[in-house]
Amino acid sequence: MNKEPLLKVENLSVTFFTPRGTVTAVREASFEISRGEVLGIVGESGCGKSTTAFAVMGYLPTTAETGGSISFEGKDISSLSKEDLRELRGNRIAMVYQDPTTSLNPSMKVGIQVQEVISEHLNLDQTAIDEKVVELFESVGLADADQMGDRYPHELSGGMQQRVMIAMALACDPDLLIMDEPTTGLDVTTEATILDLVASLKERVNAGILYVTHNLGVIARVADRVAVMYAGQTVEQSNVNDLFASPRHPYTSGLLSCVPKPPGTGEVSSRLKRIPGFVYSSQEANVSSCLFAERCPIADSECTTSVPALEFIGQDSQVRCFHSDKVEPDTWGGVEERISRKDVASPIVLTGNEITHQYGKRRKKYMAFGPDIDLPVRALNKIDFEIPQGKTLGIVGESGSGKSTLARAVVGLIKAQDGLLQLHGNELDKTVENRSNEDKSAIQMVFQNPTASLNPKLKIKKTLIRSLMRFSKLTKQGSEERAAALMEEVGLDPSYLERLPSELSGGEQQRVAIAGAFATNPEIVVADEAVSALDVSVQAQVLSLLEDRQQELGNSYLFITHDLGVVRYVSDDIMVVYAGHIAEYGPSEAVLSSPSHPYTEALLSAAPIPDPSAKPNPLRLEGAVPTMREEFPGCFFASRCPRKLGSVCDTEAPPVQKASANENHVINCHIPVKDLEIIQA
Amino acid sequence: MGLDRHPVERYAVWIKNAVRGDLGMAARGGATINSMVKSRLPNSALLAAVAFLIAVPTSLLAGVLAGIRPDTKLDRILSIGSLLAISIPEFIIGVILMMVFATKLGWFPSSSILLPGETILGTPKILVLPTLTITGALFAYILRMARANVIEVMESNYVRTAILKGLSMRKVVFKHVLPNAMIPTITVIANNVGWMFGGIIVVEFVFAYPGIGSLLIMAIDTRDMRLLQSTALVIAAIYAFANLAADLLYGLLNPRVRVGQ
């Protein structure tokens, strides 16, 4: 029997005609999906993944021009009438979107939003519809399924909202389910529960699933087959195990080797590999060469003069490369040993003692009388830390755990209410305005969003020279020379000094921000999610840059991230924070190996591992970090702890325990370390 | 009148009485301000209500039509027309309408003076031109607001969700676009009740319409401080109530603002 694939996309191209020029979002995308199969589409931003997904739904702006074909069960989507397309959408093909918060109608109860799909496509009476909605909510793991429908989207957490979206997509038993970055923007713990749900869908529904993501760990967890996209082309396609074990396209190989591996794979001894340059611009027209040639380490004259086609290299795998047989593990360079700093004792540069901060003020209901309303949010609770010279303290935790508040308190952007900050044993003022110029230049910061943190009206030169003249006491001439030198140190051409931030890519902007932070020869650089917004290839470049700077200049980092792979790669010490409390603190490898605090354990088990053969750890956290307002006598983690002992966790604050042989490794938990060791083994 | 006393003291006494609901005597004519306000206020309210009833539904409809298909011919005509209507002040629109419909065509009276024994409802013709003048600016304002909100909502992710559920355009517009686009629009309209009373002052003056606005102008003309204070107080109170009503309405329409279930 000739098996017709459910969805067949052939040489799809999508071009947008905008007032600012032509944008070719998709150039040559080809793939197939059969029933019961999950095809993952992976690639960096700007590679046309989402556009491809929306093209399958027949949903593109009127300014778009498409080429090639998309056939769903043998029928070309583009030839369908409006009515036929409506019959398909929501019914036969359903979609789950990246941002559930904005994808749900804010002024409509979620039950009605799910009902709508059912009553549009299925011929059911109202009671049957109501029953089906409850059933759907149950099937996606929403608690209180019968009450859920009466709630508005803003009353649900991000994870619950995404479950509602998935329930909505499953409402009419679609044949094809498209998921476009469904966990991007969710916390790692929530992401893990949603991924569990997607993985269970595979067994439950007989649909083909198109799963779009930039995250290789997620792909490894959910996909059966993977299509890698680069600059709008599918460059490689094969089953997930082969793809991760032996990538045949240099881009795939590069992507795999520039992702910092999450914990569980031993100490990081080799440096990250880097893919130079940026994604081939979608504003460029097609050229007669391989689009990856300018970034490719094995490109030769053939690659720059002729166009490779997507060719079968096995029964089930295709690749778009002339030299796929030459792609080896060391295509992107051999193993570069990292210089181990583990045993080097170094003096402490910065210490924090009992840093405490609350947002908001206590208010009474009637001016000075009545019950308390609006208790302050206890964002930081007696946080102690120390950062040795030339080393990196990594801080991890979910959003809302107080990471950024701590960073801001250290830099002095907020005035911590209590506690002591000391630089080389001398007290630091709590606010940056009151610090001396020396103290200000000693602690610098790099922010998450470089686009928003660089002044858009100032040329790069002005931005850099400002802090140079202020802090380094250089003349105009001298600071211009220094600015040029700084640019070279961060790997940018000094000609960029004359540009505006908007003329730079995100990765380049972050390099400028780093150059700005290093302009004052700081001792501590606070990096608050500094690589979170960047694509993996750019992230690897920036991480390497930070590493190089540290080795040359011997500065320390306070590195804040939610990504356990990144924190493991950069940190010497790690602090795990939860709801403003330290859960665990110690040397990096000690913290990331058991026994660990149940919260660390949960974070570790939630992190998606870019290896399809890895067995997912079933330990999960539901819900989100609580907002700590009231004084609570028990353990800060008691409300969500998967290893909760009993009432002691609710009534007594957890003791500090030494967690391992290492002198400095501590956890705040009631469970004896020995027991933790047994539970977690 | 207590003109021998200090102005601050006179003001304090006026406030004391005003709080009790007594605005005092007008400087001329021997009538109490209370009775003057009482006879004038319903006239203004009638003018406002008629203008509102005409402007709100038509402008909302036009705004939604323009917003759903932006950059079409209809949208361009409405957008440019409304921009013109907003840029020209009421007293000029009023005068132009007066020239065309009263002087040239003679369809409606150019002034709205009531002869003794006449009521507004008895001579509804005098309402037409003032209403049209107010409606013009209000119509344009609401139209632009509705159009902008509809365009914004049309581009939102949840409308995309609705379209990709396979709903018809009709359902998408009526169930998803309109409720969300109308929330801010209605709030703006409610806020405009107060603003409209400001516009009414000018319009009433132009047409010599016997409302609270022309009372205010009269107070200025006759240097009657007490009458001026009183009319300003009444207008400010209406403004404040309209804004309060707008906020409450917003809470009613928008589930995210509702608190204390």
Side-chain angles (χ1 to χ4, degrees), chain A residues 54 57 59 86 89-90 95 97 102-108 113 116-117 120-121 152 154 165 168, chain B residues 156-158 160-161 163-169 171 175-176 179-180 183 253-256 258 261:
Chain A
F54 283 110
M57 288 296 263
Y59 183 76
R86 275 213 302 122
R89 289 170 174 171
M95 191 157 177
Y97 313 88
T102 59
S103 298
L104 285 167
N105 185 337
S107 61
M108 204 188 232
Q113 298 193 47
E116 224 178 16
V117 203
E120 183 71 32
H121 298 293
Y152 285 98
H154 71 274
M165 292 301 299
M168 196 186 289
Chain B
S156 72
N157 284 346
Y158 57 84
R160 181 184 69 192
T161 308
I163 293 172
L164 294 186
K165 277 176 181 175
L167 302 183
S168 62
M169 214 46 211
K171 278 191 191 161
K175 288 194 166 171
H176 294 270
N180 286 296
I183 291 171
L253 290 171
N254 189 345
R256 276 166 296 181
R258 266 178 243 158
Q261 306 281 321

Side-chain angles (χ1 to χ4, degrees), chain A residues 181-200:
Chain A
E181 303 262 13
T183 61
T184 307
L186 300 176
D187 258 318
V188 62
T189 50
T190 314
E191 172 177 80
T193 59
I194 298 287
L195 291 179
D196 288 346
L197 175 61
V198 175
S200 78

Side-chain angles (χ1 to χ4, degrees), chain A residues 7 10 151 165 230-231 268 286 309 338 434 440 570 577 634:
Chain A
L7 178 78
E10 264 185 307
R151 297 168 76 173
M165 292 301 299
Y230 180 77
V268 205
N286 275 327
R338 287 182 99 188
N434 299 337
K440 276 183 200 163
V570 299
V577 288

Side-chain angles (χ1 to χ4, degrees), chain A residues 246-303:
Chain A
S246 55
R248 303 304 338 155
H249 195 281
Y251 178 61
T252 317
S253 156
L255 274 185
L256 287 170
S257 57
C258 70
V259 181
K261 302 279 179 297
T265 34
E267 200 194 335
V268 205
S269 56
S270 59
R271 294 193 56 165
L272 282 181
K273 294 178 184 165
R274 277 93 66 197
I275 306 178
F278 311 102
V279 175
Y280 187 83
S281 166
S282 58
Q283 309 217 336
E284 300 280 336
N286 275 327
V287 287
S288 53
S289 72
C290 171
L291 297 181
F292 190 60
E294 54 185 23
R295 300 175 80 185
C296 183
I298 56 169
D300 61 15
S301 57
E302 192 183 6
C303 305

Side-chain angles (χ1 to χ4, degrees), chain B residues 24-36:
Chain B
M25 297 287 288
R28 295 176 192 193
T32 62
I33 296 177
N34 278 24
S35 68
M36 292 168 90

